Amino acid sequence: MGGNMARRLAAAGHAIVAWDRSADAIASLRTSGIAGTSSIDELLVKLDAPRAVWVMVPAGGPTEQTINALAERMAPGDVVIDGGNSHYKDDVRRAAALKARGLHYVDAGTSGGVWGAERGYCLMVGGDADVVRRLAPIFRTLAPGQGTVEPTPGLDTGATTAHEGFLHCGPAGAGHFVKMIHNGIEYGLMQSYAEGFDILRNASSDALPADQRYDFDLPAIAELWRRGSVVSSWLLDLAARALVDDPQLGRFEGHVPDSGEGRWTVAAAIEEDVPANVLTAALFARFRSRRDHTFGDKLLSALRAQFGGHTER
């Protein structure tokens, strides 16, 4: 995902300098006209001040280690942007620690998965308003832009950038908080599709009366719902792709991981005394999928593979 983002920026004329632990990843980026480096020190030397470094590595230890390594080497006025799926409380802590060094910290919740290079990335940004404003050309390039989707009637497009696909959501942590809830909702939406198609698939069960059994064409139904239905969405588009590719979803076991944001969403709901029945049930359904597997679990795995390139264990 980070490589695709670098390519999208470079294609728009931004001067990109990249580092990755994998030499193969850097070699691949060089073919797109991106300056590759062999270390964080070399990366920083090749960037003009004030420097902006976008960190796109797994949340947790890898992100923490990378940001610490950058903080030790960067100069006042430089910016660290965390585009991964960090917990918002970690953002608040990091922002304070970097501020003490004269550095700026921006959290950018990023949605778009493996399709983002082509479609653009929805960006939910937290940090100081002045810093985010200075980085707006980066966000505007990565975002999808308005495209053919008309702004909501009544929206003041002069007062927001939401219709362009990126938004300054508030101070440090606000971007990742919004992305956390985004992913929690995603769990619920995916679970709804999974359960619905599982019921359709089992409508031919021998346990039903013979005159109440139906052998539904699931790829055709998914395609039907894409057109004019109130349940149409990009997730449904991806479900349709998965079902056309493999109607039985035979290459999926249905072991569905969770990457953390669903748990954090439920924890935030508990802290706020907000009932989140659907999102909590969707998270627990993923726990259950690791013990026994349904067709719905296979569809969940298929959807994760479609939008994020995630693979089962």
Side-chain angles (χ1 to χ4, degrees), residues 1-34:
M1 193 167 172
N4 283 339
M5 294 170 74
R7 292 182 183 92
R8 185 175 174 92
L9 288 167
H14 294 274
I16 305 299
V17 182
W19 174 75
D20 189 279
R21 292 188 304 175
S22 167
D24 290 342
I26 293 301
S28 174
L29 288 174
R30 285 195 177 104
T31 64
S32 300
I34 294 169

Short mmCIF file of all heavy atoms in Angstrom, two decimals, residues 1-34:
data_model
loop_
_atom_site.label_atom_id
_atom_site.label_comp_id
_atom_site.label_asym_id
_atom_site.label_seq_id
_atom_site.Cartn_x
_atom_site.Cartn_y
_atom_site.Cartn_z
N MET A 1 0.83 -1.20 0.00
CA MET A 1 0.00 0.00 0.00
C MET A 1 0.87 1.26 0.00
O MET A 1 0.61 2.21 -0.73
CB MET A 1 -0.92 -0.02 1.22
CG MET A 1 -2.04 0.99 1.20
SD MET A 1 -3.24 0.60 2.50
CE MET A 1 -4.30 2.02 2.44
N GLY A 2 1.93 1.26 0.82
CA GLY A 2 2.83 2.40 0.85
C GLY A 2 3.52 2.60 -0.48
O GLY A 2 3.70 3.75 -0.94
N GLY A 3 3.91 1.51 -1.12
CA GLY A 3 4.54 1.61 -2.44
C GLY A 3 3.61 2.21 -3.47
O GLY A 3 4.01 3.07 -4.27
N ASN A 4 2.34 1.78 -3.45
CA ASN A 4 1.37 2.33 -4.38
C ASN A 4 1.13 3.82 -4.12
O ASN A 4 0.94 4.60 -5.06
CB ASN A 4 0.05 1.57 -4.27
CG ASN A 4 0.09 0.23 -4.97
OD1 ASN A 4 0.92 0.00 -5.84
ND2 ASN A 4 -0.80 -0.67 -4.59
N MET A 5 1.15 4.22 -2.85
CA MET A 5 0.96 5.63 -2.53
C MET A 5 2.14 6.45 -3.05
O MET A 5 1.96 7.55 -3.59
CB MET A 5 0.79 5.80 -1.02
CG MET A 5 -0.48 5.15 -0.49
SD MET A 5 -0.56 5.10 1.31
CE MET A 5 -0.89 6.82 1.66
N ALA A 6 3.35 5.91 -2.89
CA ALA A 6 4.53 6.61 -3.39
C ALA A 6 4.45 6.78 -4.91
O ALA A 6 4.78 7.84 -5.45
CB ALA A 6 5.80 5.84 -3.01
N ARG A 7 4.00 5.74 -5.59
CA ARG A 7 3.87 5.81 -7.05
C ARG A 7 2.82 6.84 -7.46
O ARG A 7 3.00 7.57 -8.45
CB ARG A 7 3.52 4.43 -7.62
CG ARG A 7 4.64 3.41 -7.48
CD ARG A 7 4.26 2.07 -8.10
NE ARG A 7 5.30 1.08 -7.89
CZ ARG A 7 5.36 0.24 -6.86
NH1 ARG A 7 4.38 0.26 -5.94
NH2 ARG A 7 6.34 -0.62 -6.73
N ARG A 8 1.72 6.89 -6.74
CA ARG A 8 0.65 7.86 -7.07
C ARG A 8 1.17 9.29 -6.90
O ARG A 8 0.89 10.16 -7.73
CB ARG A 8 -0.57 7.61 -6.18
CG ARG A 8 -1.78 8.48 -6.53
CD ARG A 8 -2.99 8.08 -5.69
NE ARG A 8 -4.12 8.98 -5.89
CZ ARG A 8 -5.09 8.79 -6.78
NH1 ARG A 8 -5.08 7.72 -7.55
NH2 ARG A 8 -6.08 9.66 -6.89
N LEU A 9 1.93 9.53 -5.84
CA LEU A 9 2.49 10.85 -5.62
C LEU A 9 3.52 11.22 -6.70
O LEU A 9 3.52 12.33 -7.23
CB LEU A 9 3.15 10.91 -4.23
CG LEU A 9 2.20 10.93 -3.03
CD1 LEU A 9 2.97 10.66 -1.74
CD2 LEU A 9 1.46 12.27 -2.94
N ALA A 10 4.39 10.26 -7.02
CA ALA A 10 5.42 10.52 -8.03
C ALA A 10 4.81 10.79 -9.39
O ALA A 10 5.26 11.67 -10.13
CB ALA A 10 6.39 9.33 -8.11
N ALA A 11 3.74 10.06 -9.72
CA ALA A 11 3.09 10.24 -11.01
C ALA A 11 2.49 11.63 -11.14
O ALA A 11 2.33 12.15 -12.26
CB ALA A 11 2.01 9.18 -11.20
N ALA A 12 2.17 12.26 -10.01
CA ALA A 12 1.59 13.60 -10.02
C ALA A 12 2.65 14.69 -9.94
O ALA A 12 2.32 15.88 -9.86
CB ALA A 12 0.59 13.75 -8.87
N GLY A 13 3.93 14.29 -9.91
CA GLY A 13 4.99 15.29 -9.94
C GLY A 13 5.65 15.58 -8.60
O GLY A 13 6.55 16.43 -8.54
N HIS A 14 5.24 14.92 -7.54
CA HIS A 14 5.91 15.11 -6.25
C HIS A 14 7.27 14.42 -6.27
O HIS A 14 7.43 13.35 -6.87
CB HIS A 14 5.07 14.52 -5.11
CG HIS A 14 3.77 15.23 -4.89
ND1 HIS A 14 3.65 16.35 -4.10
CD2 HIS A 14 2.51 14.98 -5.36
CE1 HIS A 14 2.40 16.76 -4.08
NE2 HIS A 14 1.68 15.95 -4.84
N ALA A 15 8.25 15.04 -5.63
CA ALA A 15 9.58 14.43 -5.52
C ALA A 15 9.59 13.49 -4.32
O ALA A 15 9.48 13.93 -3.17
CB ALA A 15 10.64 15.51 -5.34
N ILE A 16 9.70 12.20 -4.57
CA ILE A 16 9.58 11.19 -3.54
C ILE A 16 10.92 10.51 -3.29
O ILE A 16 11.61 10.12 -4.22
CB ILE A 16 8.54 10.12 -3.94
CG1 ILE A 16 7.19 10.76 -4.28
CG2 ILE A 16 8.37 9.08 -2.83
CD1 ILE A 16 6.56 11.54 -3.15
N VAL A 17 11.25 10.37 -2.01
CA VAL A 17 12.43 9.60 -1.58
C VAL A 17 11.91 8.48 -0.70
O VAL A 17 11.12 8.71 0.22
CB VAL A 17 13.42 10.48 -0.80
CG1 VAL A 17 14.65 9.67 -0.40
CG2 VAL A 17 13.83 11.69 -1.63
N ALA A 18 12.34 7.25 -0.97
CA ALA A 18 11.75 6.10 -0.27
C ALA A 18 12.81 5.24 0.41
O ALA A 18 13.94 5.10 -0.08
CB ALA A 18 10.96 5.25 -1.26
N TRP A 19 12.41 4.66 1.52
CA TRP A 19 13.23 3.64 2.19
C TRP A 19 12.32 2.52 2.66
O TRP A 19 11.20 2.75 3.12
CB TRP A 19 13.98 4.21 3.39
CG TRP A 19 14.70 3.12 4.14
CD1 TRP A 19 15.85 2.47 3.77
CD2 TRP A 19 14.30 2.53 5.39
NE1 TRP A 19 16.18 1.50 4.70
CE2 TRP A 19 15.24 1.51 5.71
CE3 TRP A 19 13.23 2.74 6.26
CZ2 TRP A 19 15.16 0.73 6.86
CZ3 TRP A 19 13.15 1.97 7.41
CH2 TRP A 19 14.10 0.98 7.70
N ASP A 20 12.81 1.30 2.54
CA ASP A 20 12.12 0.12 3.03
C ASP A 20 13.20 -0.89 3.43
O ASP A 20 14.31 -0.88 2.87
CB ASP A 20 11.22 -0.48 1.93
CG ASP A 20 10.31 -1.58 2.48
OD1 ASP A 20 10.77 -2.72 2.63
OD2 ASP A 20 9.13 -1.28 2.73
N ARG A 21 12.89 -1.74 4.39
CA ARG A 21 13.86 -2.76 4.78
C ARG A 21 14.15 -3.74 3.65
O ARG A 21 15.20 -4.36 3.61
CB ARG A 21 13.36 -3.54 6.01
CG ARG A 21 13.31 -2.71 7.28
CD ARG A 21 13.00 -3.57 8.49
NE ARG A 21 11.75 -4.32 8.31
CZ ARG A 21 11.30 -5.21 9.19
NH1 ARG A 21 12.00 -5.49 10.27
NH2 ARG A 21 10.16 -5.83 8.98
N SER A 22 13.18 -3.86 2.73
CA SER A 22 13.33 -4.78 1.61
C SER A 22 14.00 -4.09 0.43
O SER A 22 13.47 -3.12 -0.12
CB SER A 22 11.96 -5.31 1.18
OG SER A 22 12.04 -5.96 -0.07
N ALA A 23 15.15 -4.59 0.03
CA ALA A 23 15.84 -4.03 -1.14
C ALA A 23 15.02 -4.22 -2.41
O ALA A 23 15.05 -3.38 -3.31
CB ALA A 23 17.22 -4.69 -1.29
N ASP A 24 14.26 -5.33 -2.47
CA ASP A 24 13.42 -5.58 -3.65
C ASP A 24 12.33 -4.51 -3.78
O ASP A 24 12.00 -4.08 -4.89
CB ASP A 24 12.79 -6.97 -3.57
CG ASP A 24 13.80 -8.09 -3.75
OD1 ASP A 24 14.89 -7.80 -4.28
OD2 ASP A 24 13.50 -9.23 -3.37
N ALA A 25 11.76 -4.11 -2.64
CA ALA A 25 10.72 -3.08 -2.67
C ALA A 25 11.29 -1.77 -3.19
O ALA A 25 10.65 -1.07 -4.00
CB ALA A 25 10.12 -2.89 -1.28
N ILE A 26 12.49 -1.41 -2.77
CA ILE A 26 13.12 -0.18 -3.23
C ILE A 26 13.44 -0.27 -4.72
O ILE A 26 13.25 0.68 -5.48
CB ILE A 26 14.38 0.12 -2.41
CG1 ILE A 26 14.00 0.44 -0.96
CG2 ILE A 26 15.17 1.29 -3.01
CD1 ILE A 26 13.08 1.63 -0.80
N ALA A 27 13.93 -1.43 -5.14
CA ALA A 27 14.25 -1.61 -6.56
C ALA A 27 13.00 -1.43 -7.42
O ALA A 27 13.05 -0.84 -8.50
CB ALA A 27 14.86 -2.98 -6.79
N SER A 28 11.87 -1.92 -6.93
CA SER A 28 10.62 -1.78 -7.65
C SER A 28 10.20 -0.32 -7.76
O SER A 28 9.73 0.14 -8.81
CB SER A 28 9.53 -2.60 -6.96
OG SER A 28 8.28 -2.38 -7.56
N LEU A 29 10.39 0.45 -6.69
CA LEU A 29 10.02 1.86 -6.71
C LEU A 29 10.91 2.67 -7.65
O LEU A 29 10.46 3.63 -8.28
CB LEU A 29 10.08 2.44 -5.30
CG LEU A 29 8.99 1.98 -4.33
CD1 LEU A 29 9.25 2.52 -2.94
CD2 LEU A 29 7.62 2.43 -4.82
N ARG A 30 12.17 2.28 -7.74
CA ARG A 30 13.08 3.02 -8.63
C ARG A 30 12.61 2.97 -10.08
O ARG A 30 12.84 3.90 -10.85
CB ARG A 30 14.50 2.45 -8.51
CG ARG A 30 15.24 2.86 -7.22
CD ARG A 30 16.73 2.59 -7.33
NE ARG A 30 17.45 3.04 -6.15
CZ ARG A 30 17.90 2.22 -5.20
NH1 ARG A 30 17.72 0.90 -5.30
NH2 ARG A 30 18.55 2.71 -4.15
N THR A 31 11.95 1.88 -10.46
CA THR A 31 11.46 1.78 -11.83
C THR A 31 10.33 2.77 -12.10
O THR A 31 9.97 3.01 -13.25
CB THR A 31 10.94 0.35 -12.13
OG1 THR A 31 9.81 0.06 -11.28
CG2 THR A 31 12.03 -0.68 -11.88
N SER A 32 9.77 3.36 -11.03
CA SER A 32 8.72 4.37 -11.18
C SER A 32 9.27 5.78 -11.03
O SER A 32 8.52 6.73 -10.84
CB SER A 32 7.62 4.12 -10.14
OG SER A 32 7.04 2.85 -10.29
N GLY A 33 10.60 5.91 -11.07
CA GLY A 33 11.22 7.22 -10.99
C GLY A 33 11.33 7.76 -9.58
O GLY A 33 11.50 8.98 -9.39
N ILE A 34 11.25 6.88 -8.60
CA ILE A 34 11.33 7.28 -7.20
C ILE A 34 12.75 7.04 -6.69
O ILE A 34 13.35 5.98 -6.95
CB ILE A 34 10.32 6.49 -6.36
CG1 ILE A 34 8.89 6.88 -6.79
CG2 ILE A 34 10.51 6.74 -4.87
CD1 ILE A 34 7.82 5.98 -6.22
#
